[in-house]
Amino acid sequence: MSDLLWVIELAGAMLVWVRTRGSSRRQQQAGWLMAAGLVLGALPDALEVMRGRSFFAALFESWQAFDSSALSLAGLLSLLLGIARLTTAPGRTDNSDAKFHSLANVAADAIITIDEHGTIQSFNLCAERMFGRSAESMIGQKLHPIIPERYRRLHDDGVSRVSRSGETPFDGETREFHALRKDGSEFPIELTVASWFGEDRRLSFIGIIRDITERKRLEAELRQLATTDPLTGILNRRRFTELTTQEIHRAHRLRHPLTLIMLDIDWFKRINDAFGHTVGDRVIQSLASACASELREIDILGRLGGEEFAVVLPELGASGSLEVAERLRQKVEGLQITLNDGRIVRFTCSLGVAVLKDTDQSPDTLLVRADNALYRAKRDGRNCVRAASDS
C-alpha cells in the first residue's frame, strides 16, 4: 500500500502544479505550496519503500539523519497553507473552503486557525479530542482556555506584536510548549505556526499541534536508564563521574572544600556464596537506601560497580566528612535483612575519605586516594573509617 501511496502523492503534486500554472499569481503560489506539501508528505513513504534496494541504499542511509515526523508536519503545513491561500483568492468557491476543513478534520494532529486578533476561526476534530473542547465552544473565542495561565500574557503580547509588524518570529518553525486540557491538566506539545495575508490584507495564523506526551515519557525513561543504576536507583558510575567533575571545578573556582568517600561492603562475596545473589542484591539495595537517607540534598551518591559506592560531600572538609563517614558506617552496621526462613543477614562496610587538593582536576586522582584509604580500612580489620594520608 505504501508503494502506491507515495506515487499517488507525487502524481497529485504534479497535477496541482500543472493545473495552477496559468492561473493568477496567488493561485500559483497556492499551487506551489500544495505541491510542496504533497512532495514532503510522500518522501518518508518513498524512501521507506526504496529501503534495501541496492540503487537507493545510500539514499536511504542519508535519510536516517532526518526526522520524518518533522518533515511530515512541514508537508501538512505547506499543503494547508496552499489550500488556505485558495480559500482567500478572488473568485474562489466555497468548495475550496470545504476542502480545507475536510483535510483538517482527517489530520492526525490538531489544527487551529486564528485571525489577527487571536480569535479562533477553525478548530478541527483532533483538536477537540486533544483539548477536550468542542469546536462550537471554541470558534469565536480566544485561545486562553487551552493555554496555561502563566503563558497567556506572553501569547497575547506576541499576537499583538505580530499583527502590528506583520512578521512572525518563528514562522514555519516547530517548537515545544505546554498546553491545557479542559480538565486542567497540562501536557507537552509540538507546535508549528505559519501565517498568511488574505486579499483584504488581514493576517491569519494556522497552527499544527502534536501531543508529545508519550515521546517525553520515553525520553525521561531513556535519561533515567542512562544516568541511574537499575538495581538501586542511585546514580550510575558515568553520571556520578560527570557530576563529581562539575563539583570539583566549582570547588576550585570558589576555593571551597570538597570531600569524597568510598565505601565497600565487607565480605560481600561470602554473603553471595552463603545466601545467593538475590540476597546479595537486597544487601546492596539496603546499603544504598541507608546512605541516601543520611546525606544532604547537595551530596552526590553513586554506585561505582558491584558492592562499591562513593559519596561526594560539597562544602565539607576533613573533620566534617569524617563525621559523615562514621555516621554512615554506624547506619550500615545497624541494618539487617530478614529472609523468608527467618534467618537474619547483617553486614558492615569499610570507608575511605579523601579531601580535594589543588592538584585534583578530575575525579580520578581523588578516587585513587580515597580507594587507598579504603584499602587501609580493610587491612585494619574492616567496619571502620580511614582518611587518606594527606587529608
Side-chain angles (χ1 to χ4, degrees):
M1 181 63 184
S2 57
D3 279 40
L4 181 61
L5 183 59
W6 73 268
V7 172
I8 292 174
E9 288 172 326
L10 289 178
M14 286 293 296
L15 180 61
V16 168
W17 179 71
V18 170
R19 288 289 301 274
T20 55
R21 281 183 66 189
S23 305
S24 67
R25 183 181 177 185
R26 185 176 190 83
Q27 289 175 325
Q28 287 184 39
Q29 290 174 342
W32 275 109
L33 283 168
M34 293 166 66
L38 288 167
V39 170
L40 288 172
L43 272 178
D45 290 331
L47 289 173
E48 184 65 38
V49 168
M50 295 170 185
R51 184 179 188 179
R53 299 180 187 177
S54 57
F55 183 78
F56 294 102
L59 179 63
F60 184 81
E61 287 305 317
S62 32
W63 163 248
Q64 300 302 310
F66 293 94
D67 183 353
S68 60
S69 173
L71 194 60
S72 64
L73 264 180
L76 179 57
L77 180 61
S78 182
L79 181 59
L80 289 172
L81 271 177
I83 296 176
R85 279 185 172 272
L86 284 181
T87 65
T88 58
R92 72 168 180 88
T93 64
D94 288 339
N95 189 40
S96 298
D97 200 26
K99 285 179 181 178
F100 175 85
H101 291 292
S102 295
L103 180 60
N105 279 329
V106 298
D109 299 303
I111 299 172
I112 302 172
T113 59
I114 63 173
D115 64 18
E116 59 186 353
H117 304 296
T119 303
I120 297 173
Q121 296 175 313
S122 67
F123 199 81
N124 76 338
L125 291 176
C126 185
E128 290 185 319
R129 293 191 295 269
M130 185 180 294
F131 297 103
R133 297 178 180 275
S134 67
E136 184 180 5
S137 67
M138 293 299 294
I139 292 175
Q141 306 297 319
K142 301 293 185 182
L143 286 171
H144 287 185
I146 62 174
I147 299 177
E149 186 173 356
R150 63 186 181 279
Y151 299 137
R152 290 173 189 169
R153 176 72 177 272
L154 184 66
H155 164 75
D156 292 343
D157 291 345
V159 170
S160 298
R161 186 167 57 253
V162 171
S163 297
R164 289 193 304 269
S165 66
E167 297 180 1
T168 54
F170 54 97
D171 208 348
E173 294 181 15
T174 299
R175 296 193 178 185
E176 293 183 4
F177 297 95
H178 278 82
L180 191 65
R181 295 189 181 92
K182 188 176 182 179
D183 63 8
S185 61
E186 289 189 19
F187 64 103
I189 62 168
E190 198 172 62
L191 172 65
T192 306
V193 176
S195 60
W196 76 94
F197 285 95
E199 283 298 308
D200 55 2
R201 301 304 297 165
R202 290 186 179 277
L203 187 63
S204 294
F205 303 90
I206 182 170
I208 299 178
I209 304 159
R210 178 165 293 177
D211 185 343
I212 55 173
T213 301
E214 181 63 14
R215 192 180 83 192
K216 288 298 183 182
R217 184 188 66 78
L218 291 173
E219 288 175 357
E221 286 184 4
L222 289 174
R223 280 195 300 271
Q224 181 82 358
L225 290 172
T227 60
T228 61
D229 171 56
L231 180 62
T232 61
I234 64 175
L235 298 177
N236 59 19
R237 187 183 188 109
R238 178 180 178 181
R239 185 57 176 162
F240 174 84
T241 302
E242 289 175 352
L243 294 181
T244 300
T245 301
Q246 294 174 16
E247 283 300 321
I248 287 174
H249 292 162
R250 189 188 70 85
H252 282 315
R253 186 176 68 256
L254 301 177
R255 308 298 297 172
H256 288 187
L258 179 142
T259 308
L260 186 143
I261 301 174
M262 284 190 68
L263 57 155
D264 186 275
I265 300 173
D266 296 328
W267 307 117
F268 185 69
K269 185 177 184 303
R270 293 184 182 181
I271 295 173
N272 271 339
D273 291 344
F275 302 104
H277 290 282
T278 300
V279 174
D281 287 348
R282 290 179 61 188
V283 167
I284 289 173
Q285 291 170 332
S286 180
L287 181 139
S289 178
C291 288
S293 68
E294 290 294 318
L295 297 173
R296 301 167 300 171
E297 192 172 326
I298 64 171
D299 298 332
I300 303 170
L301 171 65
R303 183 184 177 199
L304 302 184
E307 69 274 23
E308 194 172 62
F309 297 78
V311 180
V312 171
L313 304 172
E315 308 295 338
L316 278 184
S319 60
S321 58
L322 285 171
E323 290 178 6
V324 173
E326 177 59 24
R327 194 165 69 243
L328 292 176
R329 187 199 66 77
Q330 293 178 15
K331 180 80 172 183
V332 172
E333 187 180 33
L335 297 175
Q336 64 179 39
I337 295 175
T338 304
L339 307 184
N340 292 335
D341 59 8
R343 288 181 295 170
I344 294 176
V345 179
R346 293 186 175 88
F347 56 95
T348 59
C349 70
S350 301
L351 302 93
V353 179
V355 176
L356 182 70
K357 297 166 56 177
D358 290 340
T359 54
D360 294 320
Q361 297 301 318
S362 74
D364 296 339
T365 54
L366 199 55
L367 283 166
V368 166
R369 290 189 288 111
D371 192 39
N372 289 336
L374 173 61
Y375 177 77
R376 283 178 39 229
K378 294 282 189 183
R379 190 181 58 197
D380 291 347
R382 293 178 168 80
N383 191 26
C384 62
V385 177
R386 293 292 182 267
S389 56
D390 53 1
S391 296

